[in-house]
Amino acid sequence: YSAVFVFSIFCLVLLFNAATNPEKAILGTWQETQWTFEKGIAFAADIAAASKAKSTQPEFSFHKAEGWEFLPGGRLRLQIGGQEEMLSWRIKGRGHVLQIQYGNDRIENYQLTVLDKNKMVLNAESDVQARGIAQLIFGRKNTETYAQKIQ
């Protein structure tokens, strides 16, 4: 019985070590490849207009970034029209929520629905009317460092 118990513990440890850590998997440069909307562009535009009309900051913005570079230490570099913007990021929950914080303390939350070696899909997380409406699809740019390749 003790051999079965030890073997079970060993298998659990292997299982946990084999699971991909989203905070490591997200590191690198990603290119926005597509925006999709579940209920059509007109409805999504209405949500954006309503979000901007609020007295507080909008809950998510329609990014037009050329590249997103997730850096160690929770830094995010957005490349927009030849200019760079530095933000903060972190993974929350059980690895399924990406939180982006701007310098003015505005926070955006995205559902991290797909994260693998070459593809990342974020669903905009907003109030009840907009939940799951906008989806950002990314492809990884081939700029891996040697340290990322051997992980």
Side-chain angles (χ1 to χ4, degrees):
Y1 291 109
S2 63
V4 172
F5 178 73
V6 169
F7 181 72
S8 299
I9 297 297
F10 178 73
C11 289
L12 283 174
V13 169
L14 281 178
L15 182 66
F16 285 124
N17 285 337
T20 303
N21 180 349
E23 291 182 347
K24 289 182 181 177
I26 202 169
L27 293 178
T29 304
W30 296 86
Q31 179 72 40
E32 280 186 31
T33 58
Q34 185 178 3
W35 267 85
T36 60
F37 300 95
E38 289 180 10
K39 297 188 179 181
I41 302 236
F43 184 70
D46 291 342
I47 292 168
S51 183
K52 288 178 182 174
K54 291 181 180 179
S55 60
T56 60
Q57 294 288 342
E59 295 180 43
F60 67 94
S61 57
F62 290 91
H63 293 278
K64 301 283 187 211
E66 297 164 359
W68 295 39
E69 185 176 4
F70 290 89
L71 303 167
R75 305 299 300 160
L76 171 62
R77 179 182 301 137
L78 291 183
Q79 299 166 354
I80 306 168
Q83 296 183 354
E84 292 183 357
E85 184 175 354
M86 290 298 288
L87 309 174
S88 298
W89 69 272
R90 68 181 181 156
I91 302 290
K92 295 183 69 181
R94 289 166 277 148
H96 66 287
V97 176
L98 172 64
Q99 185 176 73
I100 298 175
Q101 183 171 2
Y102 290 77
N104 61 1
D105 292 331
R106 189 178 95 203
I107 294 174
E108 295 176 354
N109 291 305
Y110 296 92
Q111 291 289 327
L112 186 56
T113 55
V114 175
L115 179 60
D116 59 34
K117 186 174 183 174
N118 296 311
K119 184 177 181 181
M120 175 171 61
V121 178
L122 302 176
N123 288 335
E125 182 181 285
S126 185
D127 57 14
V128 174
Q129 293 86 4
R131 188 174 308 277
I133 299 300
Q135 187 176 65
L136 290 85
I137 301 172
F138 296 84
R140 186 182 294 275
K141 290 177 93 176
N142 292 331
T143 58
E144 288 185 322
T145 64
Y146 177 73
Q148 289 172 325
K149 287 181 184 179
I150 63 171
Q151 285 185 0

